Amino acid sequence: MGANESWVTESLLVGFWLSTEMEALLFWIFTLLYTISILVNGIILGLIYLDPRLHTPLYYFLSHLAVLDMSYASTNVPKMLVNLMSHTRTISFGSCIMQTFLYLGFAATECLVLAAMFYDRYVAICHPLHYTVIMSWRVCMALAVTSGSFGFILSMVHAILLLRLPFCGPWAVNHLFCEILSVLNLACGDTWLNRVVLLAACVFVLVAPLSLMLVSYVNILWAILRIQSREGRAKAFSTCSSHLCVVGLFFGIAILVYMVPDSNQREEQEKMLSLFHSLFNPVLNPIIYSLRNTQMQAAFHRALQKRTTGGTASQTVGLV
């Protein structure tokens, strides 16, 4: 570095330029959404764990999706809530890099898990007679482990490339959290390699899986139309439409943020899109994919009945 450069130890998260009253209102709205996302995804995890009828590959991947939704929301939303009620809005350089690493790792892993869920539905609809052989528990675990490994390996590469860059003060990240593009804009050195690697990672975890899914959906739709039972067709369409909604929201927003050419006018739009990813996606995913699912609803009713029956039995024993 040059003589006039110094290592940054603390940075400022700019966030939105709002009045104190508006920030207080957003604090309570964001807190409510974050709490709902944690509770709903936690309920889904509990139901899948407790109900043996949900111990299938589809719900195995749904449990991973719930964990990932809670995890990547928790990497930045708590700090975002603190900043809304604080006038300093500072974050240490180490915490900023760690936040970037975790957010990218969980987000990339979720992209690959969604691709694995698509593969599960593709096999179930297009190759139903071989489903149990193809989607064995060993294959499911391998897909889940591979998704997490690739996601965090890519995230580690981004973090290492960030750490090699010189950053000069004063340092203010024009975002709600330490998002990688906003951090790269503040580097004093050449970020060409970082941006090329980020683009390559987006092609690997976004464009390639999304293209494969969209092309393969032609085969899925053709297989659904050949199902004789109306109930079977409706169930298959419901599952596929739910998956398409989740994929469209998650992949679409990520492509807009990371692959559309950047400009100064897009900074505020990118904040809103990232906010949607962090706050609204973890709430919408379980509603779209799980709570609309009849099997999940049945599991919830069985859990309530079991608790009610257990409570009634305990009261009866106490009276005796």
Side-chain angles (χ1 to χ4, degrees), residues 118-131 134 216-224 226-227 236 240:
F118 161 78
Y119 178 66
D120 170 75
R121 292 299 86 198
Y122 174 81
V123 174
I125 294 171
C126 297
H127 305 283
L129 298 179
H130 302 94
Y131 178 75
I134 297 175
S216 300
Y217 257 110
V218 176
N219 293 331
I220 290 177
L221 290 175
W222 179 246
I224 291 174
R226 288 186 296 173
I227 297 175
C240 291

Side-chain angles (χ1 to χ4, degrees), residues 104-126:
L104 288 176
F106 288 126
T109 302
E110 179 153 342
C111 290
L112 298 175
V113 167
L114 286 171
M117 292 173 68
F118 161 78
Y119 178 66
D120 170 75
R121 292 299 86 198
Y122 174 81
V123 174
I125 294 171
C126 297

Side-chain angles (χ1 to χ4, degrees), residues 31-236:
T31 300
L32 178 63
L33 289 172
Y34 178 63
T35 303
I36 291 173
S37 69
I38 296 297
L39 287 176
V40 174
N41 283 292
I43 290 171
I44 290 171
L45 275 177
L47 289 175
I48 293 173
Y49 176 77
L50 294 173
D51 197 322
R53 302 184 193 185
L54 300 182
H55 294 175
T56 62
L58 173 61
Y59 294 100
Y60 174 75
F61 290 122
L62 275 177
S63 66
H64 281 76
L65 186 65
V67 171
L68 289 168
D69 279 339
M70 291 190 292
S71 298
Y72 84 77
S74 298
T75 59
N76 49 42
V77 174
K79 179 62 177 175
M80 196 187 305
L81 294 176
V82 171
N83 290 343
L84 284 172
M85 299 302 291
S86 171
H87 296 292
T88 55
R89 299 188 177 187
T90 57
I91 184 172
S92 68
F93 180 76
S95 298
C96 188
I97 298 299
M98 180 59 67
Q99 190 179 69
T100 303
F101 166 73
L102 291 175
Y103 183 78
L104 288 176
F106 288 126
T109 302
E110 179 153 342
C111 290
L112 298 175
V113 167
L114 286 171
M117 292 173 68
F118 161 78
Y119 178 66
D120 170 75
R121 292 299 86 198
Y122 174 81
V123 174
I125 294 171
C126 297
H127 305 283
L129 298 179
H130 302 94
Y131 178 75
T132 55
V133 176
I134 297 175
M135 294 303 298
S136 64
W137 282 111
R138 180 176 295 181
V139 171
C140 293
M141 292 179 66
L143 287 173
V145 171
T146 302
S147 299
S149 300
F150 272 110
F152 277 93
I153 287 172
L154 288 174
S155 181
M156 179 66 73
V157 171
H158 292 310
I160 292 172
L161 291 177
L162 271 179
L163 289 171
R164 78 174 187 42
L165 292 173
F167 291 94
C168 318
W171 200 38
V173 180
N174 188 18
H175 212 283
L176 300 162
F177 57 94
C178 288
E179 190 270 333
I180 186 168
L181 290 176
S182 299
V183 175
L184 285 176
N185 289 336
L186 301 175
C188 301
D190 186 11
T191 61
W192 178 84
L193 180 60
N194 300 71
R195 296 181 186 276
V196 168
V197 172
L198 182 60
L199 180 62
C202 288
V203 171
F204 177 76
V205 300
L206 291 174
V207 178
L210 183 60
S211 301
L212 182 62
M213 283 187 277
L214 292 178
V215 171
S216 300
Y217 257 110
V218 176
N219 293 331
I220 290 177
L221 290 175
W222 179 246
I224 291 174
L225 292 174
R226 288 186 296 173
I227 297 175
Q228 299 297 324
S229 167
R230 175 182 289 185
E231 183 181 350
R233 285 198 302 269
K235 183 178 179 181

